[in-house]
Amino acid sequence: MTPDWQSKDGQNNPDARRSTQSARHITPNMSEFADRNLLDAEHFLRVFLRLLVVATGLGTTTAFALIPLPKPEATAAIEAGKSAPFVGAWSVSMPTMEVGTPDTDYAICTLPVRIEAANETHIFYLGPREVEADAAMELVPDRSGARWEPIAGGPIFFAIWIDPDTFYLYDTVPETEADWGMPFVYRRCG
């Protein structure tokens, strides 16, 4: 059987084809419409499942790589809220949660952060290029760490000792498990 858009000798009849397509566009055959939608749905489902498999395969390694650090276990060797353990020169980094990507360094031992004692419960914090501290910070024991509260006002930080030469500093006082995941890691320069 020859389609109506094609002549009996096999030549195309563009006018007949256009009129047939127009008629189908105006009044589609419902079974043909249902079949086409079913095929589109099956195609969509296949593509979706392939993408899901790929995403799951990649997602597990990415999710594993992006797991934040757990809440640290504070060492009992350091008394929270005392300035003496903080005194010294420190390298500062923030762990990168991606495999193969190095941590972000904010201070290194050749150009360290320096912490000086103002008294037994207050410290002065000097950044790598600072020669004079702005104001002292009071160390207030809190849970197993210490809040750093600037006496001149400003943001409050929270420090927790991991061992005598390492402490984590958070830019907020951690309240939830997720808050513990991104500390600044201070390591004593020696």
Side-chain angles (χ1 to χ4, degrees):
M1 177 163 172
T2 306
D4 57 356
W5 55 267
Q6 191 174 30
S7 67
K8 294 201 187 308
D9 62 352
Q11 298 296 316
N12 285 339
N13 182 350
D15 293 330
R17 184 174 186 167
R18 264 188 236 109
S19 65
T20 303
Q21 287 174 340
S22 297
R24 279 192 195 142
H25 180 69
I26 294 169
T27 56
N29 179 340
M30 289 313 283
S31 65
E32 183 180 285
F33 181 75
D35 290 344
R36 189 171 358 120
N37 281 344
L38 183 59
L39 289 174
D40 288 346
E42 288 174 353
H43 176 73
F44 172 78
L45 185 60
R46 278 193 212 115
V47 170
F48 175 76
L49 289 174
R50 285 182 188 150
L51 289 172
L52 184 63
V53 168
V54 169
T56 305
L58 296 174
T60 25
T61 56
T62 304
F64 180 72
L66 297 176
I67 294 174
L69 296 175
K71 179 180 178 182
E73 192 75 31
T75 181
I78 305 292
E79 186 180 352
K82 300 296 181 190
S83 62
F86 289 105
V87 173
W90 300 91
S91 68
V92 182
S93 63
M94 179 174 276
T96 305
M97 300 300 148
E98 296 178 34
V99 174
T101 303
D103 293 347
T104 303
D105 292 325
Y106 292 100
I108 55 175
C109 286
T110 55
L111 194 58
V113 162
R114 294 173 324 285
I115 299 176
E116 300 171 355
N119 62 28
E120 190 177 302
T121 59
H122 290 76
I123 59 172
F124 290 113
Y125 185 96
L126 294 105
R129 299 194 189 296
E130 294 178 331
V131 291
E132 189 175 319
D134 290 335
M137 286 188 263
E138 182 178 7
L139 302 174
V140 179
D142 186 357
R143 295 175 256 177
S144 54
R147 290 190 318 269
W148 290 13
E149 297 182 0
I151 58 174
I156 295 174
F157 295 91
F158 182 79
I160 188 167
W161 284 95
I162 306 306
D163 62 50
D165 294 322
T166 309
F167 69 91
Y168 290 176
L169 186 70
Y170 298 87
D171 55 7
T172 61
V173 178
E175 298 295 332
T176 67
E177 284 298 315
D179 294 341
W180 295 100
M182 296 296 291
F184 291 95
V185 179
Y186 282 70
R187 291 183 179 89
R188 192 179 304 276
C189 295

